[in-house]
Structures are given as structure tokens and as C-alpha cells.
Amino acid sequence: MRTSVCDMLGIEFPIFAFSHCRDVVAAVSKAGGFGVLGVARLTPDELETELRWIEKEVGDRPFGVDAQIPAKLYGDESGAELPREELEAQIPERHRKFINDLLAKYGVPELPPELSDEKLPYTIARDAFSRDKEVALLEVALRHPIKLIASALGPPPAHLVDAAHRKGVRVAGLVGAKKHVRKQLDAGVDLIIAQSYEAAGHTGDIGGMVLIPEVVDAAAPVPVLAAGGIASGRQFAAALALGAQGVWCGSVWLTTEEAETHPLVKEKLLRATSSDTVRTLSESGKPCRQLRTAWAEEWEGPNSPGSLPSPLQWLLCADALERIQRAAYSSEGARKLVGYSVGQVVGSLNDVKPVHQIIFDMVDGCLNVAQGFAETLAENEEVHR
């Protein structure tokens, strides 16, 4: 199972873990995989703290970071990013009313007075889809001994790729269709992540059995990681059979012992079937697969004004989502609304396991598939003699 990306990044198993939880990132790297910290909702100071902790925890084991760097910006054809105040001014009043009425309908309380000041750290989440902010975070990350930067939502800026390569850091670009590959290669990435329809978060509309081999052929000789619907050894083996050099997993870590997933959300994930997700615009304004909740259903309902383009939808919803999560323990309505990005593979996440067990099971399962193929081929060869 050793592939080219193992040699590229100095890892034992080509299993990459995207997570917003530093404990998961560290545990995956320590188990022989490659942990990747999602930085989109952190402040620069918070990122410094997280990276220092991971460095101390993993020692010389490699790890990386992932950022959401949007390829297109809203409202300015010149390519400059509009200030947040100008963007928020473009949110229609009917959308603000819909959010307020929705929170009132489900009895979600206001934030405590001490959390209502915009200067408090939690409000940085409003900038989660800011290109300037994401690039600034990656500049912080490059001051640390990371081994990989992954860029979602579009090709990374040229200056960022150059800066990473000067420090010996590899760059990965995420794609959801074959047509996206050329832009990532032109940007100078070292790895392509092919994320299929089944995946959590921002994802396209092409299934993995079709997408992965298409991207592998289009990207060659640049190696490809398969993402979407991968949580077991059999799925790991299938990705390798389709030509991928490794797997990029996110959902499988959400129910692990180390995950900081909200306990009520973790309960929902453990009970969910593979039909209990929905691809919706209701959180960020971009197609994003999430757990099916009353939040998504209300945004798709007859009274909804419709989602706004990114990042306006996120700017509109960030505070509301913060209120919902904080109230989920005390408010029945908030519990109906609270959710999380998760892929269709959630139907297989029925137990809470430590991260190292997930890694072991994936490796063992993949080897069992390979052994099964080898035995079948040997039997067929014996029959034909």
C-alpha cells in the first residue's frame, strides 16, 4: 500500500485526515497517516496556538493545513476583496427577517451579553470565506514546520505556492470535476484531491467511481488523492484501484474519541443513515453536504427567500449558527436546527472509536482486499494450467 505520496511526505500510510480538531490531526499523524488541520475559522493567534500544540504532540511526524481560498470573489470584477461592512450592506432585509423569524420559531435564545461584542474572537468566523484572511492564515502556517498546504474552493494564489515551495512545503488543490484539474496544475500544485459528490462540505455533483479515474488521467503524472465516501478498508482499496495514490477523509473522524464534535451532533451522526444528508446552499451559499436538519429544510421550504451567493449567505448566518450551537443543550428547537458538514458515509459511522483504531481498520481492511484479489488470481491461474 506504499505509494508515491508516502515517499513525498514521509508517511507510513497514504491516509490523509482533514479535521478542525487538533487532537484528531495529531492522532492521525502519530498513527502513521497525515493529519491536516482546517484553519478557515481560526484567528491568526488561534492558529499559532494550535500549530504549536500539534508540533509538540507529533514530534517529527508530518502534518499540514487546509484553507478555503475562494477562486471567485463576490461583487468586484477587479479582483479586489470588498470590506466586510460593504458585503453585509448588500444582504437584503427580507433575508435578515427570515433568519430572525426562524430563530424565534424554534425558540433559540440570544447570545449572552458578554458574547455580543463584535470584537470577541468567535466573530472571526464571519470571515471564513475571505480570501485575504485565508491567505494571511497560511502565511502564519508557513512559519511552522508543516509539510502540506491544501487549497479548497479554487487554485491557490501563485505567490502562496512559490512561498510554500521555497520552504519545501507541498501544495494540494481540491477539485470536483475534471475541468478543474488544469487550473490547479497551472497553479503549480504537487497533489490533486478529487472530491466526489458523496463527500462532506463543499462538493460537486460527480460520483467517485466516475470522478477519480477521470481526474487521475487528467492530472498524470501528478498524484491524486481520492475524497468522498471513504471510511473503511474496502473503500480505501477501491480508491487505490481507481488510480488514486491515497485517500483524503473527513467524516470518519467526526465520531472518534478524540473529536471535539458537539456531543449532540455526535449523537445525530451515530444515529444517521446514508440518506440523512443533504447538499444545500443554506450555510455558505455554495453547495455543501451536511446532516439533514430543520435548518436546511427551512431554507428549502416555501417561505424561504432563497440562499444568497457566497460569502453573503455566510455573513448572514454566522451569528445565527453560533446561537444555535450554544443553545443546543438547553433548547429543543436549537437541537432540531444544529448540524454539521458530513458525507453520505455517515451511515457507516455507528461506533465511537479512537483514531488509531480507525487507521488500523482501514489498513487491515485494505490489505484483506488485496489478499483476496491475490488468492483469486492464483486460483484462476491454477485452473487454467
PDB file of all heavy atoms in Angstrom, residues 62-83:
ATOM      1  N   PRO A  62       4.955  14.230  10.192  1.00  0.00           N
ATOM      2  CA  PRO A  62       4.471  15.309   9.317  1.00  0.00           C
ATOM      3  C   PRO A  62       2.980  15.591   9.484  1.00  0.00           C
ATOM      4  O   PRO A  62       2.196  14.701   9.816  1.00  0.00           O
ATOM      5  CB  PRO A  62       4.768  14.773   7.914  1.00  0.00           C
ATOM      6  CG  PRO A  62       4.736  13.295   8.057  1.00  0.00           C
ATOM      7  CD  PRO A  62       5.255  12.999   9.448  1.00  0.00           C
ATOM      8  N   PHE A  63       2.597  16.832   9.232  1.00  0.00           N
ATOM      9  CA  PHE A  63       1.197  17.251   9.237  1.00  0.00           C
ATOM     10  C   PHE A  63       1.061  18.472   8.336  1.00  0.00           C
ATOM     11  O   PHE A  63       2.055  19.041   7.873  1.00  0.00           O
ATOM     12  CB  PHE A  63       0.716  17.563  10.658  1.00  0.00           C
ATOM     13  CG  PHE A  63       1.358  18.778  11.282  1.00  0.00           C
ATOM     14  CD1 PHE A  63       0.713  20.007  11.258  1.00  0.00           C
ATOM     15  CD2 PHE A  63       2.599  18.696  11.898  1.00  0.00           C
ATOM     16  CE1 PHE A  63       1.305  21.135  11.825  1.00  0.00           C
ATOM     17  CE2 PHE A  63       3.187  19.805  12.474  1.00  0.00           C
ATOM     18  CZ  PHE A  63       2.546  21.025  12.428  1.00  0.00           C
ATOM     19  N   GLY A  64      -0.178  18.905   8.083  1.00  0.00           N
ATOM     20  CA  GLY A  64      -0.397  20.048   7.201  1.00  0.00           C
ATOM     21  C   GLY A  64      -1.614  20.850   7.595  1.00  0.00           C
ATOM     22  O   GLY A  64      -2.214  20.619   8.659  1.00  0.00           O
ATOM     23  N   VAL A  65      -1.970  21.805   6.743  1.00  0.00           N
ATOM     24  CA  VAL A  65      -3.136  22.661   6.982  1.00  0.00           C
ATOM     25  C   VAL A  65      -3.970  22.760   5.709  1.00  0.00           C
ATOM     26  O   VAL A  65      -3.479  22.536   4.597  1.00  0.00           O
ATOM     27  CB  VAL A  65      -2.722  24.084   7.441  1.00  0.00           C
ATOM     28  CG1 VAL A  65      -1.981  24.035   8.752  1.00  0.00           C
ATOM     29  CG2 VAL A  65      -1.890  24.776   6.378  1.00  0.00           C
ATOM     30  N   ASP A  66      -5.240  23.103   5.891  1.00  0.00           N
ATOM     31  CA  ASP A  66      -6.177  23.252   4.776  1.00  0.00           C
ATOM     32  C   ASP A  66      -6.904  24.580   4.925  1.00  0.00           C
ATOM     33  O   ASP A  66      -7.357  24.920   6.022  1.00  0.00           O
ATOM     34  CB  ASP A  66      -7.189  22.104   4.788  1.00  0.00           C
ATOM     35  CG  ASP A  66      -8.290  22.265   3.745  1.00  0.00           C
ATOM     36  OD1 ASP A  66      -9.225  23.055   3.974  1.00  0.00           O
ATOM     37  OD2 ASP A  66      -8.215  21.589   2.708  1.00  0.00           O
ATOM     38  N   ALA A  67      -7.006  25.329   3.827  1.00  0.00           N
ATOM     39  CA  ALA A  67      -7.696  26.622   3.850  1.00  0.00           C
ATOM     40  C   ALA A  67      -8.718  26.698   2.729  1.00  0.00           C
ATOM     41  O   ALA A  67      -8.576  26.043   1.691  1.00  0.00           O
ATOM     42  CB  ALA A  67      -6.698  27.764   3.712  1.00  0.00           C
ATOM     43  N   GLN A  68      -9.767  27.493   2.938  1.00  0.00           N
ATOM     44  CA  GLN A  68     -10.781  27.739   1.914  1.00  0.00           C
ATOM     45  C   GLN A  68     -10.438  29.049   1.208  1.00  0.00           C
ATOM     46  O   GLN A  68     -10.754  30.133   1.718  1.00  0.00           O
ATOM     47  CB  GLN A  68     -12.170  27.830   2.553  1.00  0.00           C
ATOM     48  CG  GLN A  68     -12.594  26.540   3.235  1.00  0.00           C
ATOM     49  CD  GLN A  68     -13.929  26.664   3.938  1.00  0.00           C
ATOM     50  OE1 GLN A  68     -14.662  25.700   4.081  1.00  0.00           O
ATOM     51  NE2 GLN A  68     -14.262  27.856   4.398  1.00  0.00           N
ATOM     52  N   ILE A  69      -9.789  28.956   0.059  1.00  0.00           N
ATOM     53  CA  ILE A  69      -9.391  30.153  -0.685  1.00  0.00           C
ATOM     54  C   ILE A  69     -10.293  30.273  -1.906  1.00  0.00           C
ATOM     55  O   ILE A  69     -10.070  29.601  -2.919  1.00  0.00           O
ATOM     56  CB  ILE A  69      -7.919  30.080  -1.113  1.00  0.00           C
ATOM     57  CG1 ILE A  69      -7.015  29.793   0.086  1.00  0.00           C
ATOM     58  CG2 ILE A  69      -7.493  31.373  -1.791  1.00  0.00           C
ATOM     59  CD1 ILE A  69      -5.562  29.603  -0.260  1.00  0.00           C
ATOM     60  N   PRO A  70     -11.342  31.079  -1.837  1.00  0.00           N
ATOM     61  CA  PRO A  70     -12.291  31.138  -2.948  1.00  0.00           C
ATOM     62  C   PRO A  70     -11.654  31.655  -4.239  1.00  0.00           C
ATOM     63  O   PRO A  70     -10.928  32.644  -4.234  1.00  0.00           O
ATOM     64  CB  PRO A  70     -13.380  32.096  -2.443  1.00  0.00           C
ATOM     65  CG  PRO A  70     -12.750  32.857  -1.334  1.00  0.00           C
ATOM     66  CD  PRO A  70     -11.701  31.972  -0.731  1.00  0.00           C
ATOM     67  N   ALA A  71     -11.931  30.949  -5.342  1.00  0.00           N
ATOM     68  CA  ALA A  71     -11.387  31.353  -6.638  1.00  0.00           C
ATOM     69  C   ALA A  71     -12.073  32.621  -7.146  1.00  0.00           C
ATOM     70  O   ALA A  71     -11.461  33.438  -7.846  1.00  0.00           O
ATOM     71  CB  ALA A  71     -11.554  30.227  -7.646  1.00  0.00           C
ATOM     72  N   LYS A  72     -13.347  32.778  -6.796  1.00  0.00           N
ATOM     73  CA  LYS A  72     -14.113  33.933  -7.245  1.00  0.00           C
ATOM     74  C   LYS A  72     -14.564  34.751  -6.041  1.00  0.00           C
ATOM     75  O   LYS A  72     -14.966  34.200  -5.016  1.00  0.00           O
ATOM     76  CB  LYS A  72     -15.333  33.487  -8.058  1.00  0.00           C
ATOM     77  CG  LYS A  72     -14.981  32.753  -9.338  1.00  0.00           C
ATOM     78  CD  LYS A  72     -16.230  32.329 -10.086  1.00  0.00           C
ATOM     79  CE  LYS A  72     -15.896  31.583 -11.364  1.00  0.00           C
ATOM     80  NZ  LYS A  72     -17.107  31.140 -12.083  1.00  0.00           N
ATOM     81  N   LEU A  73     -14.500  36.054  -6.190  1.00  0.00           N
ATOM     82  CA  LEU A  73     -14.947  36.954  -5.137  1.00  0.00           C
ATOM     83  C   LEU A  73     -16.250  37.609  -5.556  1.00  0.00           C
ATOM     84  O   LEU A  73     -16.487  37.867  -6.740  1.00  0.00           O
ATOM     85  CB  LEU A  73     -13.887  38.023  -4.855  1.00  0.00           C
ATOM     86  CG  LEU A  73     -12.556  37.503  -4.328  1.00  0.00           C
ATOM     87  CD1 LEU A  73     -11.542  38.632  -4.259  1.00  0.00           C
ATOM     88  CD2 LEU A  73     -12.718  36.878  -2.952  1.00  0.00           C
ATOM     89  N   TYR A  74     -17.089  37.913  -4.576  1.00  0.00           N
ATOM     90  CA  TYR A  74     -18.391  38.485  -4.857  1.00  0.00           C
ATOM     91  C   TYR A  74     -18.303  39.996  -5.009  1.00  0.00           C
ATOM     92  O   TYR A  74     -17.686  40.683  -4.198  1.00  0.00           O
ATOM     93  CB  TYR A  74     -19.355  38.147  -3.709  1.00  0.00           C
ATOM     94  CG  TYR A  74     -20.708  38.797  -3.856  1.00  0.00           C
ATOM     95  CD1 TYR A  74     -21.679  38.231  -4.667  1.00  0.00           C
ATOM     96  CD2 TYR A  74     -21.006  39.987  -3.203  1.00  0.00           C
ATOM     97  CE1 TYR A  74     -22.911  38.823  -4.812  1.00  0.00           C
ATOM     98  CE2 TYR A  74     -22.238  40.591  -3.332  1.00  0.00           C
ATOM     99  CZ  TYR A  74     -23.196  39.997  -4.143  1.00  0.00           C
ATOM    100  OH  TYR A  74     -24.417  40.597  -4.296  1.00  0.00           O
ATOM    101  N   GLY A  75     -18.904  40.505  -6.068  1.00  0.00           N
ATOM    102  CA  GLY A  75     -19.200  41.923  -6.159  1.00  0.00           C
ATOM    103  C   GLY A  75     -18.114  42.845  -6.652  1.00  0.00           C
ATOM    104  O   GLY A  75     -18.313  44.057  -6.677  1.00  0.00           O
ATOM    105  N   ASP A  76     -16.945  42.338  -7.072  1.00  0.00           N
ATOM    106  CA  ASP A  76     -15.899  43.243  -7.537  1.00  0.00           C
ATOM    107  C   ASP A  76     -15.135  42.574  -8.673  1.00  0.00           C
ATOM    108  O   ASP A  76     -14.340  41.671  -8.457  1.00  0.00           O
ATOM    109  CB  ASP A  76     -14.942  43.591  -6.397  1.00  0.00           C
ATOM    110  CG  ASP A  76     -14.005  44.741  -6.779  1.00  0.00           C
ATOM    111  OD1 ASP A  76     -13.826  44.975  -7.986  1.00  0.00           O
ATOM    112  OD2 ASP A  76     -13.469  45.391  -5.884  1.00  0.00           O
ATOM    113  N   GLU A  77     -15.392  42.997  -9.921  1.00  0.00           N
ATOM    114  CA  GLU A  77     -14.771  42.388 -11.091  1.00  0.00           C
ATOM    115  C   GLU A  77     -13.278  42.675 -11.163  1.00  0.00           C
ATOM    116  O   GLU A  77     -12.547  42.015 -11.893  1.00  0.00           O
ATOM    117  CB  GLU A  77     -15.457  42.878 -12.358  1.00  0.00           C
ATOM    118  CG  GLU A  77     -16.919  42.437 -12.463  1.00  0.00           C
ATOM    119  CD  GLU A  77     -17.570  42.922 -13.745  1.00  0.00           C
ATOM    120  OE1 GLU A  77     -16.872  43.599 -14.529  1.00  0.00           O
ATOM    121  OE2 GLU A  77     -18.749  42.602 -13.962  1.00  0.00           O
ATOM    122  N   SER A  78     -12.797  43.643 -10.408  1.00  0.00           N
ATOM    123  CA  SER A  78     -11.377  43.967 -10.444  1.00  0.00           C
ATOM    124  C   SER A  78     -10.534  42.913  -9.734  1.00  0.00           C
ATOM    125  O   SER A  78      -9.315  42.879  -9.879  1.00  0.00           O
ATOM    126  CB  SER A  78     -11.134  45.328  -9.771  1.00  0.00           C
ATOM    127  OG  SER A  78     -11.333  45.227  -8.358  1.00  0.00           O
ATOM    128  N   GLY A  79     -11.182  42.040  -8.964  1.00  0.00           N
ATOM    129  CA  GLY A  79     -10.452  41.012  -8.238  1.00  0.00           C
ATOM    130  C   GLY A  79     -10.124  41.398  -6.808  1.00  0.00           C
ATOM    131  O   GLY A  79      -9.607  40.585  -6.053  1.00  0.00           O
ATOM    132  N   ALA A  80     -10.411  42.634  -6.417  1.00  0.00           N
ATOM    133  CA  ALA A  80     -10.153  43.065  -5.045  1.00  0.00           C
ATOM    134  C   ALA A  80     -11.274  42.568  -4.133  1.00  0.00           C
ATOM    135  O   ALA A  80     -12.425  42.431  -4.548  1.00  0.00           O
ATOM    136  CB  ALA A  80     -10.055  44.580  -4.979  1.00  0.00           C
ATOM    137  N   GLU A  81     -10.930  42.308  -2.895  1.00  0.00           N
ATOM    138  CA  GLU A  81     -11.921  41.828  -1.943  1.00  0.00           C
ATOM    139  C   GLU A  81     -12.609  43.004  -1.263  1.00  0.00           C
ATOM    140  O   GLU A  81     -11.941  43.900  -0.723  1.00  0.00           O
ATOM    141  CB  GLU A  81     -11.245  40.936  -0.908  1.00  0.00           C
ATOM    142  CG  GLU A  81     -12.225  40.279   0.044  1.00  0.00           C
ATOM    143  CD  GLU A  81     -11.575  39.119   0.786  1.00  0.00           C
ATOM    144  OE1 GLU A  81     -11.467  38.037   0.188  1.00  0.00           O
ATOM    145  OE2 GLU A  81     -11.165  39.304   1.939  1.00  0.00           O
ATOM    146  N   LEU A  82     -13.932  42.990  -1.272  1.00  0.00           N
ATOM    147  CA  LEU A  82     -14.696  44.070  -0.647  1.00  0.00           C
ATOM    148  C   LEU A  82     -14.616  43.961   0.875  1.00  0.00           C
ATOM    149  O   LEU A  82     -14.576  42.860   1.421  1.00  0.00           O
ATOM    150  CB  LEU A  82     -16.159  44.000  -1.074  1.00  0.00           C
ATOM    151  CG  LEU A  82     -16.462  44.257  -2.555  1.00  0.00           C
ATOM    152  CD1 LEU A  82     -17.957  44.099  -2.807  1.00  0.00           C
ATOM    153  CD2 LEU A  82     -15.995  45.629  -2.977  1.00  0.00           C
ATOM    154  N   PRO A  83     -14.597  45.090   1.578  1.00  0.00           N
ATOM    155  CA  PRO A  83     -14.632  45.059   3.043  1.00  0.00           C
ATOM    156  C   PRO A  83     -15.904  44.387   3.539  1.00  0.00           C
ATOM    157  O   PRO A  83     -16.951  44.420   2.871  1.00  0.00           O
ATOM    158  CB  PRO A  83     -14.613  46.544   3.429  1.00  0.00           C
ATOM    159  CG  PRO A  83     -14.067  47.252   2.241  1.00  0.00           C
ATOM    160  CD  PRO A  83     -14.514  46.463   1.050  1.00  0.00           C
TER     161      PRO A  83
END
